[in-house]
Each structure stands twice: as C-alpha cells, then as structure tokens.
C-alpha cells in the first residue's frame, strides 16, 4: 500500500479527488468558514457527530465534495492513542467498500509525528488481508493513502519511519499467520534469505549438523521429535560506526508446538502455529531496517524447529547439555521455548553485543498476568529496560517491566542437573525469565514475553505483528543517539 503526504488543510480537502475522505475531528471549536468546517460544526451541534475518539459519521455523495464517501470521526485530544482509535474506526468503515481504493486523510488540528505514525499503522491494520493459503484470496482494496498536513516536508521523516515499520509488521504477520505446513523451519530460513535483496542485510542459515557441531544440545533436543529439520538463522545488518557493538535480537521460532511428550490439550492447539511470532518479529524488524537504512548495527538470531512427540522426542526427566556447558533437566517438554533460546543466548556472546533482546511467546503465565495489552519485559539493565519501555509507549506497542529477584530462581534447582527447565506454576513468566538469565551475564539483556500480545483469538484471530514497532523505534533511537555522540 502506498502512503504519501500532501500539504493541505480542510479547505483544500473537499477538492481532492479520492474514493473516500476521512476527517479526524478533534476537541475544540472550528472557526473557519470553508464548506467542510461548516459541515463539521453543524454535525457536532446537531449531535450527529462527537469528538470522542472512534465516534464516526459516514456520508455518501456529499454535495460540494469530490470524494465519493466522507467519514467524519472523532479523535479527542489528538494524541497518538486517540488518533489510532479514530483511524481504526474510520478504516473499518471504508475498508468494507471494494470501491474505495484511494483515501485522503486529514485532521482539524495538526498531527504530531507520533500521531502520524499511529494513523499509518492503524490504516495498515484495518485494511490488512491474509490470503496466502486461500484458493481465492481476497485482495486488499485500499491501495493508496494521502495524508493532508500543514507542512508535508516537516513530517517526511516520520512518514518514512511509519511506512517501513508497517512493512515490517506486515511481514511478521504474514509468516506468523501461515499454517505450520506453510511455515516450516526450512521455509522460515528461506524467508530470512529473501531479505538479502535489501541493502546491507546479510543472512546465514545453519542446519542440524552445524548446530550440533556448535554444541547446542538443548536446541537439538527439542527438534528431535520432528521430521522437519531445525534451522538456526543468523541475520546481520551492520551500518553502525565500526567501534559500536551490535544489538542482538533473538526470536523464538517454534513453528508448531504440540507440547512434545507433555502434550497440550487439543482445544485451540491450532493457535500454536503462532509460537514462532518472536522469530517473525525479528524478520519484520530486518525488513524495516533494510528499508529505513539507519546507522545502527543489528544481529538477528532465530533458532527454529517444531516441538513434536515423535519416536526420538526428548522425554520428561531427560538431561541435556546446553551450548554454555550447563546441564538441564527437562521436567516438562512443553517448556521448550527456553530450551532453544538458551543456546541462542550463548551463541550471541561471540558478537560481543552492546545489548541482547530476546522475543518469545514464552509463557501462558504472562497472559494471565498482563492479558493482551502489554508485553512482559524482564531485564538485567535498568537503562536497556527504560529504552524499551519508552519505545513501547511511543509506538503504542507497550510493555510492562516484571521482577527478576534472585528468590524466583530457587524453584529451578535440580537434583540431577545444573538446573531444571521449569519451577512450578507460581510466577511462571518470572521463573522462565530467570532460567534464561542463567545464560546471560556478560552484557545488558532484556526478555520480551509476547505470549499475550503476539496474536488475537476468536473472530479476530490472527497475528498482531507486535513488537516490531517497539523494536524498530528502539533501534532507530539508538542510531540517532550514536550519531549525536559522534557529532559531539
């Protein structure tokens, strides 16, 4: 989908040729006397329109307007959160009409950079259509969006950031939404290799023999129950100053999770195709980086395999040796995400990273704790945590910092290995993070548990593309900070 900025206000909007005109109406009185402003004032006065975010009034063939459809929608105080809600409501109206291919969007008050990004992402979310595995895929009807602003040049950079972020989100959603037989570890490796067409993106995909030679006994154990061979994907985007260490992103890539021998209940097990949303988000981030080209160095690691109850599957009570040399007693084979991530965390040390962030649909306990609103954030570094929290708030892709007290790790003790892979039901999201923390002690580390935010169930079932927006903003800010230090 194409987005562009146009220097135009309400007075010019009525003459813009498009299939639908969407006007975001903020709090406050309109004093202008152009036809559109007068119409909005009358609609507000009559009570047919409210400035409450998301309240919409749809009109057809409005006299004096070149647009076939006119949607007036409240945006409250004009904050990014309110704008997202408003644009989502408007897009749900216009996206129903196949005739709407070109949209013009403007507002009664100037949009901030953050609000513009929220608007672009909301249009993308509202018009997104999955069709890869459908015999007659429905095409996305909305093809072009023009945003009218007081000064297009001033917001050009914000628009490019928003467009690239949306591109990354949609790549993440595409791979997360695919059924497991259309998103195997091999296919995920091919998707990563396809990103090398973007400038400065490099990719290497390791197979079972190479992974075993590295000593990744924990990762290898999880993959043993499946006929699908594992893959270990290494992505590189190196555009930062040569002296700057890279940020390493690690995405959990369980392309289907049956639970293994500790098999899951059958109800809603189909949603375990989403257990690779962490991996999908890393692919999405690299898509966005390749388009934006910020001056930052990033390495992406994706350990990917299936967790199946095959003849060779790891059994409860088995002890495996991780790449770090630490041994793990596997008490529950359904706690497999941490088993593949721990070896990737050890592998990350070879890059001498400035920071490591792992992203995983790791625990149902995090869903219980935070629901589908905020991702769980665990970190050994206050500075890194604050950076991620800030980017989460800026992009409306928010997270919440959770504790890592040493006492939470007590339940991971084992009589037969250096540690167990589970510690009971209490504080399950925290004890999972404490397990991962045992494999990181040389650099700042953060763990994002996205089990509650990576996808939606029910009628709206599908991947959300989170936390691509947060991570892209985090990396772009690091690039800007590095540039500022260099200039100074």
């Amino acid at each position: 989908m194409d987005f562009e900025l146009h220097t135009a206000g309400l007075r010019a909007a009525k003459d813009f040729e498009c299939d639908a005109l969407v006007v975001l109406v903020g709090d406050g009185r309109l004093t202008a006397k152009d036809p559109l402003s007068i119409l909005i004032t009358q609609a507000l006065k009559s009570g047919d329109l409210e400035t409450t975010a998301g309240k919409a009034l749809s009109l057809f063939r409005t006299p004096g307007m070149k647009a076939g459809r006119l949607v007036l929608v409240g945006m409250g105080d004009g904050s990014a959160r309110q704008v997202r809600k408003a644009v989502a409501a408007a897009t749900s109206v216009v996206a129903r009409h196949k005739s709407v291919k070109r949209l013009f969007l403007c507002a009664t008050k100037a949009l901030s950079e953050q609000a513009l990004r929220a608007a672009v992402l909301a249009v993308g979310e509202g018009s997104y259509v999955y069709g890869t595995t459908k015999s007659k895929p429905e095409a996305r009807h909305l093809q072009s969006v023009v945003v009218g602003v007081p000064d297009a040049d001033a917001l050009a950079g914000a628009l490019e950031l928003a467009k690239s972020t949306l591109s990354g989100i949609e790549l993440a959603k595409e791979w997360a939404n695919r059924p497991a037989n259309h998103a195997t570890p091999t296919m995920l490796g091919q998707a990563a290799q396809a990103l090398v067409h973007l400038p400065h993106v490099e990719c290497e995909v390791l197979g079972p023999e190479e992974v075993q030679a590295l000593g990744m006994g924990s990762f290898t154990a999880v993959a043993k129950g499946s006929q699908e061979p594992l893959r270990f994907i290494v992505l590189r985007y190196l555009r930062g100053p040569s002296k700057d260490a890279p940020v390493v992103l690690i995405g959990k890539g369980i392309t289907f999770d049956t639970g293994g021998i500790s098999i899951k209940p059958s109800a809603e097990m189909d949603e375990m195709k989403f257990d690779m949303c962490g991996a999908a988000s890393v692919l999405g981030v690299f898509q966005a980086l390749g388009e934006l080209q910020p001056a930052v160095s990033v390495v992406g690691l994706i350990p990917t395999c299936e967790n199946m109850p095959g003849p060779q599957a790891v059994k409860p009570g088995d002890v495996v040796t991780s790449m770090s040399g630490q041994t793990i007693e596997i008490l529950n084979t359904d706690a497999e995400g941490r088993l593949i991530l721990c070896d990737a965390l050890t592998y990350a040390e070879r890059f001498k990273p400035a920071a490591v962030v792992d992203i995983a649909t790791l625990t149902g306990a995090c869903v219980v704790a935070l629901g589908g609103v905020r991702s769980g954030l665990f970190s050994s570094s206050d500075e890194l945590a604050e950076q991620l929290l800030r980017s989460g708030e800026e992009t409306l892709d928010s997270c919440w910092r959770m504790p890592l007290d040493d006492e939470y790790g007590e339940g991971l003790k084992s009589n037969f290995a250096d540690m167990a892979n589970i510690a009971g039901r209490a504080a399950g999201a925290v004890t999972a993070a404490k397990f991962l923390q045992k494999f990181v002690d040389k650099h700042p580390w953060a763990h994002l548990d996205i089990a509650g935010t990576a996808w939606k169930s029910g009628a709206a079932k599908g991947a959300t593309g989170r936390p691509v927006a947060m991570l892209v903003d985090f990396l772009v800010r690091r690039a800007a900070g590095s540039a500022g230090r260099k200039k100074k």
Side-chain angles (χ1 to χ4, degrees):
M1 184 163 50
D2 181 54
F3 287 88
E4 61 179 288
L5 290 174
H6 189 74
T7 301
L10 292 183
R11 188 177 297 276
K14 70 179 183 64
D15 296 321
F16 202 89
E17 292 192 9
C18 55
D19 301 310
L21 168 62
V22 171
V23 182
L24 308 180
V25 182
D27 297 332
R29 220 180 59 160
L30 291 178
T31 57
K33 298 303 179 183
D34 60 278
L36 193 49
S37 295
I38 293 171
L39 175 61
I40 292 170
T41 300
Q42 291 173 341
L44 290 169
K45 187 176 181 179
S46 68
D48 291 297
L49 176 65
E50 300 176 31
T51 60
T52 303
K55 295 288 186 179
L57 173 63
S58 182
L59 304 169
F60 182 68
R61 296 296 180 193
T62 308
M65 305 289 163
K66 287 193 175 181
R69 299 178 186 277
L70 171 63
V71 180
L72 308 177
V73 59
M75 67 168 182
D77 60 8
S79 65
R81 193 171 298 277
Q82 300 288 287
V83 166
R84 179 178 68 175
K85 191 172 182 180
V87 175
T91 305
S92 69
V93 173
V94 299
R96 292 197 296 262
H97 304 289
K98 295 182 179 180
S99 60
V100 178
K101 293 179 172 53
R102 183 170 169 81
L103 173 71
F104 186 80
L105 173 71
C106 62
T108 59
K109 57 174 66 175
L111 298 177
S112 65
E113 292 187 1
Q114 187 186 13
L116 175 64
R117 176 166 50 185
V120 170
L121 298 188
V123 170
E125 170 68 22
S127 61
Y128 172 80
V129 178
Y130 172 80
T132 301
T133 51
K134 294 183 179 181
S135 62
K136 296 179 180 178
E138 181 184 351
R140 187 182 219 152
H141 308 305
L142 189 57
Q143 299 296 317
S144 172
V145 179
V146 180
V147 184
V149 294
D151 185 352
D153 290 339
L155 290 175
L159 180 66
E160 290 307 309
L161 174 58
K163 287 165 58 177
S164 298
T165 301
L166 178 59
S167 180
I169 288 172
E170 295 198 338
L171 180 67
K173 288 167 72 171
E174 165 64 26
W175 281 97
N177 281 331
R178 289 189 179 201
N181 61 328
H182 290 265
T184 64
T186 299
M187 293 175 181
L188 213 57
Q190 292 167 346
Q193 288 173 321
L195 293 173
V196 301
H197 78 278
L198 296 167
H200 303 288
V201 176
E202 302 172 7
C203 179
E204 180 183 11
V205 180
L206 309 182
E209 292 182 359
E210 295 159 299
V211 166
Q212 192 167 15
L214 286 168
M216 293 185 174
S218 184
F219 177 21
T220 302
V222 176
K224 284 172 62 178
S226 174
Q227 291 184 336
E228 291 287 345
L230 64 77
R231 293 289 184 265
F232 188 71
I233 301 165
V234 183
L235 284 159
R236 293 179 177 86
Y237 173 85
L238 306 176
R239 284 213 69 209
S242 57
K243 65 178 181 179
D244 282 10
V247 173
V248 176
L249 303 180
I250 302 175
K252 173 186 171 185
I254 299 293
T255 57
F256 195 81
D257 182 19
T258 65
I261 298 300
S262 308
I263 198 162
K264 295 176 180 289
S266 60
E268 298 179 348
M269 194 195 285
D270 67 287
E271 295 189 5
M272 288 302 97
K273 70 176 185 177
F274 294 121
D275 211 18
M276 43 68 70
C277 283
S281 72
V282 172
L283 294 180
V285 168
F286 273 78
Q287 172 75 33
L289 292 174
E291 294 184 11
L292 276 172
Q293 294 292 295
V296 64
S297 292
V298 187
V299 173
L301 304 178
I302 299 175
T304 176
C305 65
E306 292 183 337
N307 185 24
M308 300 288 284
Q312 301 300 316
V314 66
K315 305 172 293 297
D318 283 0
V319 174
V320 298
T321 302
S322 67
M323 185 182 180
S324 70
Q326 299 177 91
T327 59
I328 306 163
E329 182 184 13
I330 301 175
L331 296 179
N332 188 326
T333 65
D334 193 22
E336 85 299 328
R338 64 200 74 181
L339 296 175
I340 71 172
L341 289 172
C342 70
D343 280 345
L345 286 166
T346 301
Y347 187 88
E349 292 177 0
R350 64 181 53 198
F351 299 103
K352 296 181 173 54
V356 174
V357 182
D358 74 73
I359 311 103
T361 50
L362 205 63
T363 65
C366 197
V367 184
V368 174
L370 298 175
V373 179
R374 292 178 181 263
S375 301
L377 168 64
F378 303 81
S379 183
S380 61
S381 163
D382 290 341
E383 182 181 4
L384 178 59
E386 286 301 320
Q387 291 171 355
L388 290 167
L389 286 165
R390 176 181 177 179
S391 288
E393 293 303 314
E394 286 290 318
T395 59
L396 308 181
D397 189 355
S398 56
C399 54
W400 190 261
R401 193 172 184 185
M402 304 283 277
L404 278 174
D405 304 66
D406 289 341
E407 290 81 359
Y408 285 112
E410 291 296 313
L412 294 170
K413 290 181 178 179
S414 166
N415 292 339
F416 308 105
D418 296 333
M419 71 193 80
N421 75 323
I422 59 168
R425 295 185 63 187
V430 184
T431 56
K434 291 300 293 182
F435 176 91
L436 295 176
Q437 191 179 21
K438 291 178 180 293
F439 299 86
V440 281
D441 58 4
K442 298 177 182 177
H443 42 255
W445 160 76
H447 160 58
L448 289 169
D449 192 330
I450 59 171
T453 57
W455 80 91
K456 296 178 181 179
S457 301
K461 183 185 290 186
T464 63
R466 295 178 65 179
V468 170
M470 176 208 298
L471 293 171
V472 170
D473 185 87
F474 161 70
L475 293 169
V476 168
R477 287 179 183 278
R478 287 187 74 94
S482 179
R485 289 192 300 272
K486 183 177 180 181
K487 184 178 180 181
K488 185 176 179 180

